[in-house]
Amino acid sequence: WDEPIVFELTTPGERGVLVTPVESRVLGAVGDVVAALPEHLRRATPPALPEMGQMRVLKHYLRLSQENLGADLNVDIGQGTCTMKYAPKVNERLVNTPTLTALHPLQDPADVQGVLEIVWRTERMLAEISGMDEVSLHTQGGSAAIWSNIAMIRAYHEANGEAEQRREVITTIFSHPSNAAAAKAAGYDVVTLYPDADGYPDLDALKAALSPRTAAIMVTNPEDTGIYNPAIREWVDAAHAVGALASYDQANANGILGITRARDAGFDVCHFNLHKTFGTPHGCGGPGAGANAVSSALAPFLPGPRVMRDGERFTVEQAGSRSIGSVAPFFGVVPNIVRAYAWMMALGAEGLRAVAETAVLNNNYLMKRILEIPGASAPYAVGRRRIEQVRYSWQDLFEETGISSEEIGVRAADFGMHYWTSHHPYIVPQPFTLEPTESYSMAELDEYAAVLAEIAREAREEPEVVRTAPHRQTVHHTHHDDLDDPERWAITWRAYRRKYFAGRPAGAPAAADTAEAAA
Amino acid sequence: WDEPIVFELTTPGERGVLVTPVESRVLGAVGDVVAALPEHLRRATPPALPEMGQMRVLKHYLRLSQENLGADLNVDIGQGTCTMKYAPKVNERLVNTPTLTALHPLQDPADVQGVLEIVWRTERMLAEISGMDEVSLHTQGGSAAIWSNIAMIRAYHEANGEAEQRREVITTIFSHPSNAAAAKAAGYDVVTLYPDADGYPDLDALKAALSPRTAAIMVTNPEDTGIYNPAIREWVDAAHAVGALASYDQANANGILGITRARDAGFDVCHFNLHKTFGTPHGCGGPGAGANAVSSALAPFLPGPRVMRDGERFTVEQAGSRSIGSVAPFFGVVPNIVRAYAWMMALGAEGLRAVAETAVLNNNYLMKRILEIPGASAPYAVGRRRIEQVRYSWQDLFEETGISSEEIGVRAADFGMHYWTSHHPYIVPQPFTLEPTESYSMAELDEYAAVLAEIAREAREEPEVVRTAPHRQTVHHTHHDDLDDPERWAITWRAYRRKYFAGRPAGAPAAADTAEAAA
Amino acid sequence: MTRPFVHPYIPNTAPESRAAMLAAVGATSVDEFYVDVPADLRLDRPLDLPEPLTAELDLERHVGGLLSRNVSTRTRLSFLGAGTYHHHVPAVVDEIINRSEFLTAYAGEPYEDHGRFQALFEYQSLMAELLAMDVVNVPTYDGYQATATGLAMAGRMTGRRRVLVASDVLPAKASKVHDFVRGHLDLEIVPTIGGTADAAAVASLLADDVAAVWVETPSATGAVEARLRELADAAHAVGAVLVVGTDPIGYGVLVPPAEHGADIVCGDIQSLGLHQWFGGAHGGFIAVHDDPRFIMEMPSRLFGLATTDVPGEYGFGDVAYDRTSFAHREEGKEWVGTAAALWGIAAGVYLTLMGPEGMRELGEVLLARTEYARRALAAIPGVELGDDALHLREFTVDLGGTGRTAGDVVRDLRLVGIEPGVPLDERTLLVCVTEMTSQRDIDRLAESLAAAVGASPAASDLAGADVPAASDPAPTLEEQSA
Amino acid sequence: MTRPFVHPYIPNTAPESRAAMLAAVGATSVDEFYVDVPADLRLDRPLDLPEPLTAELDLERHVGGLLSRNVSTRTRLSFLGAGTYHHHVPAVVDEIINRSEFLTAYAGEPYEDHGRFQALFEYQSLMAELLAMDVVNVPTYDGYQATATGLAMAGRMTGRRRVLVASDVLPAKASKVHDFVRGHLDLEIVPTIGGTADAAAVASLLADDVAAVWVETPSATGAVEARLRELADAAHAVGAVLVVGTDPIGYGVLVPPAEHGADIVCGDIQSLGLHQWFGGAHGGFIAVHDDPRFIMEMPSRLFGLATTDVPGEYGFGDVAYDRTSFAHREEGKEWVGTAAALWGIAAGVYLTLMGPEGMRELGEVLLARTEYARRALAAIPGVELGDDALHLREFTVDLGGTGRTAGDVVRDLRLVGIEPGVPLDERTLLVCVTEMTSQRDIDRLAESLAAAVGASPAASDLAGADVPAASDPAPTLEEQSA
């Protein structure tokens, strides 16, 4: 499809949906309320939204959807760290029921026992999975959960009178950047540690960094390299030794479910991403959902309101005085909580362990296939296994051909595959990160590896094909330098029209849409 | 996508969905029921269905769906006679509720009052739209409704003792072929009339064909040419004059809703296609739904069971002794009945008339655009308006370029457009039939006309481009001669494997699916 | 209101567009387009229809409100079958058939509708594996039509009129088949014995004027025909065709009719991934061997695999299109029209998800629960089984010994939220169990039925266990609908 | 059971595949992959979780059964708002966001995810028209976060700590904002007068240490701020930023804050096409002018239009990616992570469907029904309006004169199936009306409330009509849920 921007599809007078009319009795009682508005409050010019019939609106967005590559459609193992797993369709059927969609959070608790029970049960299951005592499901995503981690840590130290003293948070470079960013947003100074020569987190570096000024360590494990820190308990103990708390970013928990637990390593607080590990769909980038699990010492600081069980009934309790309060409206991202509950109930203990083991098996199998490709490598811990993902490098290929990892990614899209390099900074040169999860069959892993092998071959034999990609995408090579220049960037259609067309209204509806058919 | 046949995706041991286990108490009570089967009843070799994980099944069919061009995605005006209109999404939401999907037709009538009321109300609305007295919604499609028309006519003549005498059914060549076919299936001889020189149904020919042997006339009006028979009442009167009944195929009713009614022209029986005129989706070719409307004289012959109103309650009455009996399970295609009800309720009398008027306006507007294309013509009734569709001809273009209408159709698909020639036989040479309905905007009609104009230009200037189409489809030129040779046709995968591979099992799972991304 | 009527479903009700288009075609009003409709046929008033609900929220409230008056089998514990069955529909099935691309497509060509052709070819192929036959049609309307057409094919092939009906047939199905074929065929009922065919009686009636022997398995009472091979051989001996009506749900564990000699196998696919829909979601299949004599009599479309200009690529198209009424009007075979393609795609997705193991497990659950239910109900004093044939999913009980009629029992059990089955006559109740009716559900039926007929519950004796509560984790229907 | 654990969600639990893969990597068991996990950290027992329901039908019955215990606002007549609103969600919105292509996508690049980039760019652009501002972010979590971030931006830009809170704020929102910004900002509450800002008091507190004035309109009580321009001018005079928290639902008829001088406008998009979801479907927007000083402080992703190698073709990408924590970890602005993109697409589809006329009509319905409800409730003896500001959708009533508490009234009305609103304190009830609460629904509330406080119904006087039954075609909630 060559689908225009929606504003170009406007036709004066068309309607997409009609609004229920103001009843005659209401009109009789209150008159013309719009005309009665004070003039300075009454909008003079209607917002310049498009005017379109309903079918054309539908068609527009359906076509855009076909120009998008959802996890359901491809072998989505190239978005490393993202844990792109199967989001079961039965869960979509379950959550899209009026007894969930049409619930208001302030209804009589007697009318919402079902959803309260699901929240409560989900918390208890996550407590078991993490080994922690209490769980909150309020946060709306992984980074938001990291924020809640640090917010609770801050409140804890304040409650202990150490707020002024403890101004530093320590993290590692292969932990998710939001740990650093959230700590900073909470007012902390951030110390970032680099790994040792083998790519393992450096315990000595930690010990050197720890001090009475340390509020917490905030680490991911396994890190985004797929390497598990074997000294993790020593890390936690070292933090505790200086009075700091230990916060565990469990975004990468998919390979260790039922294998090892946060509390067993001594952590005080951890979080999970329900949209990664627990099978809720990623929604183009949210809504996700986070779960914060804490030891009993930190439980008073959890966000509120909490769902409590009282015999057979479930009740809602407002946040207590030491709670960090509300972190999101009401109870968090409820549809994802229900999905995660259904996902866990479909699997059980044996199933969760099979998830972890299969994710790890898939990853190590894929690693073998990738490392067979000339020019690909997996820096650090050479020859050792990884947990659930691997940060690879094309450095050798780059040195041979000049083709960068980004260029390979653009070319991979021509084969219907996602591909991601890594978070910044690129500690691993020419990085790429693959996380196969448990959701893909051996044949699909082979297929993905074959695509990368083919692109590596192209890079050596016909590098122009790679360099000039994309060749088979909806759009062609895009000039991203437009986007960093305040004079040229266009974040909305109105800004675009203003900057490029001096605000003149767009002309006639877009020209004939003689696009190729959906491939 | 280059998606394999589903059997090629099998991996031994994978499961798509699990079945609830036999409970231990049941097992204890009845033992191993499969082992206990008599050996000649117990299947020795499991059916060779594919073994696939759930996500891969989903992916397979999602990819196939993206290789299909639904009405929601394109400007679907090229499937003339099909009345491809907008099937509102709100109706999908309405019908996909457990209070409809999970109803059994033999439940206590007290538990199904809502659906019975909808059936009853829909019947009453269609009675008003047709002017008829009674309506049945049992039939599962337009041709099935045509069958019910002739079955009732047959029963009527039998009840009057004229079954032996009346052996002929008269139809016209521009009526849907199912009228002829269903009459034949009911045991009648079929007489087909051709139009007069202007393309109008020929009243004199009818009068010549009518006789005491005539059981019925079965005609469409407007015919598939979009031409309305101005002498329709005279046709009906002439049929009645010889004791025949008049049956009206209202598949083409979209342009005359609220304008003129079947009963007002004297018809005894008519049918509508709910999946054409009343906005239910076409489902790749069904389920559709038919409505049979009859005069009171024919009402006793309607299929059963009937839904009756008894004060505030709705009851189910079994078919009476003169009824043609059951024509389908229970009450017909219930989801489509509910959709049609919702569609009519969204529009009302004013809306239905707007449907008709706009469908006709769109058609005449499109005709103007098409006739501006050199090489296109609209045979018959030259210079006159059409109702809701037009049967056009590329005969001039064909004579000039040798490009046939079929070839143009294949090329149109390259532009993301459906295109249909006409039913057989091709009375109109090099035919194509466009029916824009009310669902498309002026811009979309222009877009479609522009595509045909472009292909006509190609036919003249670069005919090879047209002749060698498709160029931008999922598949390439297909060898349809395979399909008419019993030695080579392959109607199932097992037959294909047997004929082409001597029954050897397919090899490994399909090779790497390095397809291009969805366009 | 003086505001123009503009509707979201009709873009060109926008006044500017309407005016522009009228101007473009040189018309002053739409009336000009209707010049061929005589004035005396023009309706001179608005249609007398209810006030519309043009705002979507008002429409939803109205239609949703009507539907919410229904009480579904999620709330009622249902043992109803008789042609429409309560099987589980995997969520992926609904996901696929509700895709706009499939839901709203129609009759495109193999190029732009490649996906539809492939999906329906795959449906044909998956059914073919289940049935062990090489040819399956794109679905026709329903099992009634499929069977009627199957018999009509036999009539056309043999040029004979007699059809021996060897099994118990659902009355509505018999009605449909009769009215459909009576122009060409005469049906002769051969009474069954013990629920299945009286093979000897059939044999004695066979002659060279018989077009077909028609067997239903499972029959209208759920009985599985055990002597199919015998019937096939007898029919074939006189040149008659064996037409078997069936439900494919059991062929993960049961031998399919083709392997007993059936020539035409037909039936309904509602069990394979379609909701009950108040009886409104049926599709018919007709399966034959790869024999042109049979194939050329099939009226439905048949999608076939073909080669393309690209080696190894699969293309699709219509096999032997020249059979059809689209090609030859009344000279075609019966007719072809919009039937039930989407339901075929649903059944294909269903069979793909289930796979061989799923169909085996399902067959086992159905057989086991059917047998369990038979024993549970027969254990109630006064309740007898209708016969002792092998049953799949459905069976009858004779309530004659209880002093209460089937209608009484239905009435009583409805009061406690149970639909116990379909009364076939005063004393006979047709009971259906599926994978959706758990052991606890069946126990509840048995207990309630025992109470209704005044007997003491005996069901808990069944498993030889003392404890009536089961340990299986699935919730009861009461829990579900509480 | 000794059968291997094979699960539909995990293809490589198939024993043959698992064995083949282990062999390929030269491992004898998966334990080898966990060598880095110390033995004393390994869990030596299965997790203690409930028995799984691996069969989809059992899972559906269990989870569906739990959810069916809820009684929704389709059945209860709800006047609840306070941050989550009951608006109509057009079916097309749900259709689009439930498409696998959008629902399951994540963080692809502009090439293969062109559709996502375009849909979110369009969302930004549609919101921008409604708000009359040039820059809108890809949604953050919710309106709480958006406002917290908006204030934090003001703090970073000005280097100041004081924030004047000029409006009544929802307590939960205030809690979130406070905890989020307290490392950098100090909030000072300026009590409102008659429901809206005390502009004079705000002016008197303004000084060159004030980072921002924070206004909410509609406020926590639904009051529309009438003196925004005055507040903006005063703030700007001391170099402070005017941050306006709002709900965009009214801007089809109301002047958007930017046109009164707001610098940062933020809030929630739940009203624009999202279901209530038990409060679990929120998304936050932050809008600013096209000024790099503001834009570079935004932490969210911003999708922008760019040219491509093909003239006239639109490409997309991230604007000023270097702002973000993805690019610079703690040196970025706050952080960016998985937030609420899908809800942004929903809001975009919603605004496209509604168009200018739809948003105008909706604004009118909301204003009219709010006013109608205010009059209907105020007509009950003892019930007083909380203030006489202009209200959109929400307002408070003071029950002090009735002798009954807000809690009493809620309890009583729940007995007749009505959620009358949210008690803010002993005497104050926050009532919300939307296009989903019809005139008849409001009349029913008024009658029931009158009964609960022991007053005679007075609502029917309102329209000067004698007949209490209305003629509008929409069914009442009772009809709907009967």
Side-chain angles (χ1 to χ4, degrees), chain C residues 56 60 68 91 99 101 480, chain D residues 56 68 88 91 99 101 480:
Chain C
E56 186 176 294
E60 270 198 82
S68 73
R99 295 269 299 173
E101 289 89 338
Q480 177 185 347
Chain D
E56 185 176 295
S68 74
H88 178 245
R99 294 270 298 173
E101 289 89 338
Q480 177 185 345

Side-chain angles (χ1 to χ4, degrees), chain A residues 479-491 499, chain D residues 117 124 135 290-306 316-328 331-333 336:
Chain A
H479 305 150
H480 284 138
D481 49 341
D482 288 356
L483 302 170
D484 287 316
D485 177 353
E487 295 301 315
R488 284 187 291 151
W489 69 35
I491 302 173
K499 288 181 174 174
Chain D
F117 276 84
Q124 295 169 183
V135 176
D290 195 353
D291 177 342
R293 213 165 52 100
F294 285 82
I295 292 170
M296 295 307 288
E297 292 300 334
M298 295 176 84
S300 317
R301 296 180 76 172
L302 302 167
F303 288 167
L305 202 65
F316 298 97
D318 276 279
V319 169
Y321 188 73
D322 256 8
R323 297 165 292 118
T324 66
S325 64
F326 280 161
H328 288 299
E331 299 309 320
K333 306 302 176 183
V336 56

Side-chain angles (χ1 to χ4, degrees), chain B residues 228-253:
Chain B
Y228 188 92
N229 179 356
I232 190 64
R233 184 194 285 279
E234 290 75 7
W235 275 56
V236 173
D237 289 347
H240 286 166
V242 299
L245 295 175
S247 174
Y248 191 167
D249 175 348
Q250 293 234 64
N252 295 343

Side-chain angles (χ1 to χ4, degrees), chain B residues 472-487:
Chain B
R472 296 192 291 193
Q473 297 302 308
T474 304
V475 284
H476 301 83
H477 178 74
T478 301
H479 306 149
H480 283 139
D481 48 343
D482 289 355
L483 302 170
D484 288 316
D485 176 354
E487 297 301 314

Side-chain angles (χ1 to χ4, degrees), chain A residues 470-519:
Chain A
H471 302 293
R472 297 193 292 192
Q473 298 301 309
T474 304
V475 285
H476 300 84
H477 177 74
T478 300
H479 305 150
H480 284 138
D481 49 341
D482 288 356
L483 302 170
D484 287 316
D485 177 353
E487 295 301 315
R488 284 187 291 151
W489 69 35
I491 302 173
T492 58
W493 183 251
R494 61 190 271 133
Y496 171 72
R497 297 296 310 171
R498 179 172 51 74
K499 288 181 174 174
Y500 289 80
F501 299 90
R504 278 182 285 113
D513 171 23
T514 51
E516 60 185 295

Side-chain angles (χ1 to χ4, degrees), chain B residues 29 43 60 72 102 111 128 140 154 200 255 259-260 283 341 345 368 384 418 491-493 498-499, chain C residues 24 34 36 41 43 45 48 53 62 73 76 100 103 105 112 122 124-125 130 134 142 179 253 290 375:
Chain B
R43 185 163 190 154
H60 175 70
D72 281 352
D111 282 351
E128 167 65 9
Q140 317 93 327
R154 182 172 66 172
Y200 286 92
I259 304 290
T260 180
Y341 175 72
M345 284 302 295
K368 175 163 173 58
R384 293 185 71 88
H418 286 301
I491 302 172
T492 57
W493 182 250
R498 179 173 52 73
K499 289 181 173 176
Chain C
Y34 293 116
D36 279 340
L41 294 186
L43 188 66
R45 59 167 175 83
D48 180 19
L53 302 165
H62 169 69
T73 56
R76 301 291 186 242
S100 274
L103 180 68
E112 75 270 20
E122 291 180 353
Q124 295 170 184
S125 299
L130 196 59
D134 274 0
D142 48 46
D179 200 61
V253 290
D290 195 353
R375 296 191 194 187

